[in-house]
Amino acid sequence: MTTTASPTPESRGPARPARLIQNEVTTEIPVHLLFRDEPDPVSVPLKPAVVSRRQGTGEQPRLRRPAGPARVVPEVDPDLAERPARVLPGSAGVLAGSCGLAGCAVTSWWAGALPPLALEALRLPAYAGAGLGPAQWAAYAGAGALGLVGFGGLARGRTGRAWVLGLFGRYRGTVRRTGLMWVNPLLLRRRVDVRLRHWRSEPMPAADAAGVALRVVVLAVWRVRDTARATLGVEDHEAYLRECVEAALARVPVEAPGSGRGGVEAAGEALTRLVAAEAAAIGVEVFSVQPVRVEYAPEVAAAMHRRRIAALDAQHRASVLTSVVDSVEDTVTRLTVRGLVELDDYERKALVKDLTVAFCSGRGESGT
């Protein structure tokens, strides 16, 4: 019996290392990838510039368009903003002024310059007086200055009005209080109306979407929100507002007369947005800018009137012709359906012609 010797480890070759991972799978690597001189450049996937896409509507993606230049809104000094000013109650000014008058009276008694009637009225004892010397003049100056400062700084605040205070060209604050108050008399006061106001313009030039010249009357509703910017940011905030409205009318097309109210309302909304954005820089709050009257410019009014009359005449002629044709058709149909007449093609055409002439003549005589 012959026995076969089992192969030794040397004859079977080197032993394969044990798998570290049980489900390890060996994959062949192509030889040409191991001997490449230069690697391929890495391709970066480019994402399409898509703005938005609504799901379930079948809408195609819209490419992002380059944005146009942003409109520059004018800006005033950023440090210039309304802030409350320091004022005192009116009673403080009245008290200071009264003390000044009392000081003048006492100084006059001290100098002996008060007449007897004044002594009796003030119930002061008779005093010969020391005369008007340096001390008396100094007392007069101090009491007089106190009286002038006390009574000169009194001011009355009203509802809907504000005081803008300045000292040597510098803004010192805004007073919105009402009633009697005391304000430093050295400060320069500017009264500003902060109530809700409206401005109705004169006929201003404008144009419609087709470029036809128009004249538009605009009604603007506004008020001053920041008194410091409205008075110190520009020379005249009312003139600035009028110029903003004119500039907005040059950019916004206004519907021509007779085009409907919807176009006028849309133009009003656009005007309100533009004017409010520009007027906000000077502290003016704009609520509404609406065209209240739109008419053609004088140079094109006559031509547009003739064009409109021609359009109305053509519309009237078309309606009259439609009415006549319907009447003729109805008459011929009734005659033939009821068997009142039997017409061939030639007789039918003649009847239609005669009826058309008769109906047109009758409508012309009646003026309809």
Side-chain angles (χ1 to χ4, degrees):
M1 181 176 182
T2 306
T3 60
T4 304
S6 60
T8 61
E10 291 77 3
S11 61
R12 287 181 299 182
R16 184 179 180 180
R19 293 181 178 181
L20 298 178
I21 304 176
Q22 296 297 329
N23 57 354
E24 178 184 358
V25 177
T26 303
T27 304
E28 293 184 359
I29 301 177
V31 178
H32 67 279
L33 294 179
L34 301 177
F35 302 95
R36 300 188 64 177
D37 297 334
E38 297 179 358
D40 291 337
V42 179
S43 59
V44 179
L46 299 178
K47 298 181 179 180
V50 178
V51 175
S52 62
R53 182 177 183 179
R54 292 178 291 182
Q55 299 292 337
T57 59
E59 181 182 355
Q60 296 296 327
R62 294 179 289 113
L63 297 180
R64 182 182 293 110
R65 296 180 180 179
R71 178 171 176 78
V72 178
V73 179
E75 185 68 25
V76 297
D77 187 2
D79 297 332
L80 184 61
E82 180 180 333
R83 61 178 183 271
R86 297 178 180 179
V87 295
L88 297 177
S91 58
V94 173
L95 179 61
S98 302
C99 291
L101 290 180
C104 290
V106 172
T107 303
S108 299
W109 173 78
W110 180 25
L114 283 179
L117 294 178
L119 292 175
E120 294 179 1
L122 297 176
R123 296 181 181 181
L124 295 176
Y127 180 67
L132 293 176
Q136 286 77 16
W137 285 115
Y140 269 128
L146 181 61
L148 290 177
V149 170
F151 289 122
L154 293 177
R156 184 179 63 175
R158 299 181 180 180
T159 303
R161 304 292 180 90
W163 293 97
V164 178
L165 307 181
L167 180 63
F168 303 116
R170 182 180 179 184
Y171 174 63
R172 304 297 296 177
T174 300
V175 180
R176 288 181 177 260
R177 295 177 56 178
T178 58
L180 189 64
M181 69 187 98
W182 183 85
V183 183
N184 187 351
L186 298 179
L187 298 177
L188 178 63
R189 308 174 191 178
R190 295 183 182 180
R191 187 183 294 273
V192 182
D193 193 341
V194 295
R195 294 173 296 182
L196 187 66
R197 305 170 63 186
H198 74 277
W199 169 68
R200 185 184 180 94
S201 70
E202 298 294 331
M204 305 170 67
D208 61 0
V212 179
L214 302 174
R215 289 291 183 271
V216 182
V217 177
V218 176
L219 180 65
V221 181
W222 60 282
R223 71 176 178 183
V224 175
R225 186 180 184 87
D226 192 314
T227 57
R229 293 190 175 188
T231 54
L232 304 177
V234 290
E235 184 176 359
D236 187 353
H237 61 274
E238 296 184 9
Y240 181 86
L241 179 63
R242 290 194 296 268
E243 293 173 359
C244 287
V245 173
E246 293 180 1
L249 277 176
R251 300 193 300 269
V252 176
V254 182
E255 291 294 333
S259 302
R261 194 62 187 172
V264 176
E265 294 178 355
E269 294 178 359
L271 289 174
T272 302
R273 288 195 300 269
L274 289 176
V275 176
E278 294 185 358
I282 63 167
V284 174
E285 185 176 8
V286 178
F287 297 95
S288 174
V289 180
Q290 295 293 331
V292 294
R293 191 177 69 188
V294 182
E295 57 187 13
Y296 290 107
E299 59 270 16
V300 299
M304 297 306 297
H305 180 69
R306 291 194 299 268
R307 179 180 177 183
R308 190 171 184 181
I309 293 298
L312 292 176
D313 185 63
Q315 184 179 2
H316 176 68
R317 290 177 180 273
S319 63
V320 170
L321 181 59
T322 302
S323 177
V324 169
V325 171
D326 293 340
S327 301
V328 171
E329 181 182 6
D330 183 60
T331 302
V332 174
T333 301
R334 289 186 179 184
L335 290 175
T336 54
V337 169
R338 295 182 181 181
L340 299 178
V341 292
E342 295 182 0
L343 304 173
D344 56 7
D345 293 340
Y346 177 78
E347 293 174 344
R348 181 186 296 275
K349 293 179 181 179
L351 180 60
V352 169
K353 179 180 179 181
D354 295 339
L355 290 175
T356 303
V357 173
F359 285 147
C360 289
S361 300
R363 291 184 177 273
E365 294 176 357
S366 61
T368 59

